[in-house]
Amino acid sequence: MAATVAPGGRPSRIRSIPARVRCAKACIVSAPGMTSQRCCAKTSATRGSPRRSAIRKAPPSSSPKWTSRSSATQTGSRPVAAASGAAVWAVRSHGAILATGPTGSGKSTTLYASVGVVSTPEKTIMTIEDPVEYRLPRIKQIQVHERAGVTFVTGLRSIVRADPDIIMVGEMRDRESAKIAIEAALTGHLMLSSLHTNSAPAAAARLIDMGVEPYLVASSLECVIGQRLVRRLCMECRRATNLPAADVGLDGSDQVAVFEPGDGCMRCSETGYRGRMGIYEVMTVSERIRTLIVARATAGEISRVAVEEGMRTLRTAGLAKVRSGQTSLAEVTRVTD
């Protein structure tokens, strides 16, 4: 929905805010000719405290270019579908796929790209989100609006009754929504959602802590993705340096040539970094891992088995980016320690 444009050329607030409201002081503003769509959330504290505003920019098109099956498997900086095993998800008819990480780690982008990969005209896809950040073709998207009684729980119940092929839940926030989503994954639906955990192996313990029975978690989970966003080095001013091989995940005592941020330039606003990219760990839930989940094993125990079965940790994925000259060791350490 586009906002009206005032005579001065500046977009005005959207009049039908309740349909796209995130909180009492949040709105999405866009207008014809704008290069991006902005989601603005304002927070006020006690009297005398400064007001904080956060603006998230998104492409204005209803179909982001990274939500197609071909582009998601070809783009190097956005491999959220290919690197996360979405090619395997596309042939599955049920199960839960979770994207995990802290706030601002790109979980929503991963979910949208994954939905784009598995979306075909033959499949019915429904989502419940807060807020709906991208309008996707052929997909029925529901916006959470608590004042109107539309919550994750009520919306998810309605979606399950509609019996779609694929369900996307923006976030598992409480026991009831998590339980409904997990049960939907067990009854013939492919369910995509996000969860706030520090790593992929910790997702099972988090769901159990939320009150979902371990046997339900073990039976429904198919794949868990842990992710972080790291800043990309500015290619114009980065500078070469040498680090011990052990520091960048290699064997031996030799020095390895890598890059670190330079003094900054106009292209990177004197920061030494320009843009961001994702690093991922993808844990496929095997029979050994299911047994550990039922036994309420710790995240560390699950992580050790996952690594033995081929999972590459966030740290390992980040060090690979360091060796390729795309980011710095300090940046990887910042997001993985």
Side-chain angles (χ1 to χ4, degrees):
M1 182 183 297
T4 58
V5 180
R10 301 180 62 183
S12 61
R13 283 181 176 270
I14 298 176
R15 295 180 180 179
S16 57
I17 283 181
R20 304 183 68 182
V21 69
R22 186 171 187 177
C23 65
K25 294 187 177 181
C27 61
I28 297 176
V29 178
S30 61
M34 292 180 65
T35 58
S36 62
Q37 175 176 285
R38 292 171 171 83
C39 177
C40 178
K42 297 181 180 179
T43 304
S44 298
T46 57
R47 178 171 295 182
S49 300
R51 173 178 293 180
R52 179 179 176 83
S53 299
I55 299 177
R56 299 176 65 182
K57 297 174 65 177
S61 63
S62 62
S63 178
K65 60 184 178 181
W66 40 258
T67 56
S68 67
R69 184 181 299 271
S70 58
S71 64
T73 57
Q74 293 173 4
T75 50
S77 60
R78 292 184 292 265
V80 286
S84 302
V88 177
W89 310 347
V91 300
R92 293 186 180 276
S93 60
H94 65 278
I97 313 295
L98 301 182
T100 67
T103 302
S105 60
K107 299 186 298 295
S108 296
T109 302
T110 297
L111 293 179
Y112 278 115
S114 303
V115 167
V117 168
V118 300
S119 175
T120 62
E122 298 80 18
K123 293 179 179 178
T124 301
I125 303 177
M126 299 183 71
T127 74
I128 177 74
E129 308 169 55
D130 183 21
V132 175
E133 297 183 30
Y134 298 98
R135 302 288 180 178
L136 304 179
R138 301 194 304 268
I139 295 176
K140 301 171 180 63
Q141 297 172 270
I142 300 174
Q143 164 74 55
V144 169
H145 183 26
E146 295 186 357
R147 287 185 294 177
V150 181
T151 65
F152 275 108
V153 174
T154 59
L156 191 52
R157 283 175 175 164
S158 298
I159 289 175
V160 172
R161 284 194 293 269
D163 194 27
D165 299 301
I166 300 171
I167 301 172
M168 189 189 92
V169 182
E171 181 184 349
M172 291 185 181
R173 293 186 175 179
D174 52 39
R175 177 185 180 276
E176 194 169 4
S177 62
K179 189 172 184 294
I180 296 172
I182 291 298
E183 290 178 349
L186 289 172
T187 55
H189 304 90
L190 181 62
M191 200 278 297
L192 309 176
S193 187
S194 67
L195 193 65
H196 284 273
T197 63
N198 291 327
S199 65
R206 173 65 177 145
L207 287 172
I208 293 172
D209 289 343
M210 292 173 68
V212 183
E213 293 295 332
Y215 72 91
L216 292 177
V217 177
S219 301
S220 61
L221 277 186
E222 295 291 339
C223 180
V224 184
I225 308 151
Q227 62 184 79
R228 297 289 190 278
L229 291 179
V230 296
R231 292 179 293 175
R232 188 188 299 270
L233 286 172
C234 175
M235 297 301 169
E236 300 295 326
C237 65
R238 66 177 184 175
R239 62 190 177 201
T241 185
N242 292 320
L243 292 176
D247 289 354
V248 293
L250 297 177
D251 296 330
S253 57
D254 297 335
Q255 295 284 309
V256 178
V258 295
F259 290 91
E260 63 182 8
D263 296 329
C265 62
M266 294 184 62
R267 290 180 62 86
C268 63
S269 301
E270 311 296 334
T271 63
Y273 295 95
R274 190 165 184 260
R276 294 189 297 176
M277 60 184 173
I279 57 175
Y280 306 90
E281 62 181 10
V282 182
M283 185 184 77
T284 302
V285 182
S286 64
E287 290 303 321
R288 291 179 62 192
I289 293 177
R290 295 185 199 279
T291 302
L292 290 174
I293 293 174
V294 172
R296 297 176 180 265
T298 64
E301 294 172 333
I302 295 175
S303 180
R304 281 192 293 272
V305 172
V307 170
E308 291 175 3
E309 295 180 345
M311 184 188 78
R312 187 170 69 162
T313 64
L314 286 170
R315 178 76 176 181
T316 303
L319 292 179
K321 300 289 187 183
V322 174
R323 294 193 297 270
S324 63
Q326 299 181 68
T327 190
S328 66
L329 179 61
E331 182 67 7
V332 171
T333 301
R334 179 182 68 85
V335 301
T336 58
D337 281 357

